[in-house]
Amino acid sequence: MPTRFDATRTPASSRPLDVLGVPGEINLDYAASAPCAQAAADAVAELLPWYASVHRGAGALSRRCTLAYEQARQTIGDFFGARADDHVIFTRNTTDALNLLARALPAGTTVVTFAGEHHANLLPWPRGSVRLPVPTDPAGAVRDLASALSELRRGSSPALPVLVAVTGASNVTGERWPVAELARVAHRHGARIVLDAAQLAPHAPVDLLTLDVDYLAVSGHKLYAPFGAGVLIGRADWLDVAPPYLAGGGATSRVGPATHDVTWTTGPARHEGGTPNLLGAVALAAVCTALGDADRAALAAQEQALLARLRTGIAALPHVVELRTFGPDAPRVGIVSFVVAGWDSADVAARLATEHRIGVRDGLFCAHPLAQRLLTEAAGRTGRRDLPPTALRASIGLGSTAAQVDRLLAALAELA
Ligand code: PMP
């Protein structure tokens, strides 16, 4: 039976950012899916007795559910600094949000992205998209984008839209990308920018206005809420005229008897056909509220201290090699990828799970172009010929402890 990590703490509702877990199991795989926060569990428990249809019923329960859903939209939009006229559209996750945006692009849009992106931010974009190589430092990313956009503008009609698609923090290395600078460059060239905030949002405040990004995509399950709810937030104009992402009930204002005689509604509902995921939306909003009330600088400082402990520990293990794109001191969130020389990464992950009850991820992390490049780079940097073809990733966040990090380091040391 899952319990909170520390059962000796004060009652659940007073500690909304405690995370649920199973005693004895060490979860160092937050970047895949973070554990559920108490705030999310409480919000779901409170709403469950009221469970009734959203936007489709006249009863008191249904009205309360509709209100809760729309309040969740408002809370999440406020948390991410949405502009008054932005749409906040509920999706299943970041992948869904970016696919929605890809389907809403005006004809002839060119998307510019970097090869360091997660597949969710590489694969949805239309043919003719530009994929820039992974730069070796953040300033290089800004320079490369500026020259690619200048080139693009020289070669194409200025009327054709351009969308820059970048991550806030890499799911492989945790390295933070210079989003505000990239946004400035994009806008200077008349382009828009979408931020894949899947990995940044759990670790740092993300604000559309401050970063000046046009769209933002995020997943609830990486932000301490349960699976199945995410959002796309951003400029209304393209979204209000695009074909509905999910055609069906709720997305229309009128359907006539003839085939295709339909008037699609505008606003978020245009893309949210079908009965929505109320509990997911409410849980995500509850986490946003709890994070909004928290001292995020203090949380980030704790995480950075643990991250430093993990990276210093890894650096001290001669047979373990960290993967990175930028220099060793570049800003990053609580994610570290590495390889153990002479060891197959899947075997290491399995041993960590079975012998030490530590959960990490192994593989290429749905970012094959980046992971493969980093593995090649690591072999070159260390001169080692015994590095495996896939990697391991440890990732931390709320609820992670120094003892957990030390257990991982000790287990890795044992493999020497
Ligand atoms: N972008 C990044 C940077 C990610 O790490 C992930 C998930 N690993 C995604 C997008 C996709 O998120 P989801 O699987 O929740 O759609």
Side-chain angles (χ1 to χ4, degrees), residues 31-32 92-96 98 117-118 120-121 167 169-171 196-199 219-222 361 365-366 393:
R92 287 181 299 163
N93 46 39
T94 304
T95 305
D96 204 27
L98 293 172
E117 298 291 328
H118 187 279
N121 199 19
T167 192
S170 165
N171 69 307
D196 169 356
Q199 295 297 348
S219 294
H221 72 100
K222 296 187 194 282
R361 167 107 191 249
F365 317 124
C366 297
R393 180 182 71 188

Side-chain angles (χ1 to χ4, degrees), residues 14-233:
S14 66
R15 302 196 61 108
L17 290 178
D18 277 359
V19 294
L20 308 184
V22 175
E25 290 296 329
I26 297 177
N27 178 358
L28 293 176
D29 197 10
Y30 281 47
S33 289
C36 182
Q38 191 64 54
D42 289 348
V44 170
E46 196 185 316
L47 195 60
L48 271 175
W50 291 83
Y51 199 90
S53 114
V54 177
H55 284 157
R56 284 155 175 80
L61 275 66
S62 194
R63 284 207 314 276
R64 164 142 188 201
C65 286
T66 300
L67 189 66
Y69 188 64
E70 292 308 323
Q71 277 173 344
R73 193 191 302 282
Q74 183 71 40
T75 301
I76 294 166
D78 290 348
F79 178 71
F80 286 113
R83 295 155 289 243
D85 50 358
D86 279 341
H87 285 335
V88 178
I89 304 176
F90 282 112
T91 61
R92 287 181 299 163
N93 46 39
T94 304
T95 305
D96 204 27
L98 293 172
N99 274 272
L100 193 169
L101 183 59
R103 296 258 288 274
L105 298 177
T109 303
T110 304
V111 179
V112 180
T113 188
F114 290 89
E117 298 291 328
H118 187 279
H119 293 169
N121 199 19
L122 289 178
L123 305 183
W125 307 122
R127 278 182 181 280
S129 299
V130 176
R131 193 182 292 178
L132 303 175
V134 183
T136 49
D137 61 66
V142 178
R143 270 196 313 274
D144 289 357
L145 180 66
S147 63
L149 291 177
S150 305
E151 178 85 3
L152 205 60
R153 282 308 186 201
R154 266 199 299 279
S156 77
S157 152
L160 285 180
V162 175
L163 176 74
V164 175
V166 290
T167 192
S170 165
N171 69 307
V172 179
T173 62
E175 290 160 333
R176 290 182 65 157
W177 280 64
V179 180
E181 289 85 344
L182 294 170
R184 253 195 302 282
V185 168
H187 291 149
R188 205 167 60 229
H189 290 82
R192 292 188 182 191
I193 181 165
V194 54
L195 173 63
D196 169 356
Q199 295 297 348
L200 183 58
H203 303 279
V206 173
D207 186 278
L208 265 120
L209 264 182
T210 314
L211 293 170
D212 196 17
V213 295
D214 300 282
Y215 305 93
L216 175 150
V218 87
S219 294
H221 72 100
K222 296 187 194 282
L223 196 56
Y224 305 101
F227 299 106
V231 283
L232 174 70
I233 305 178

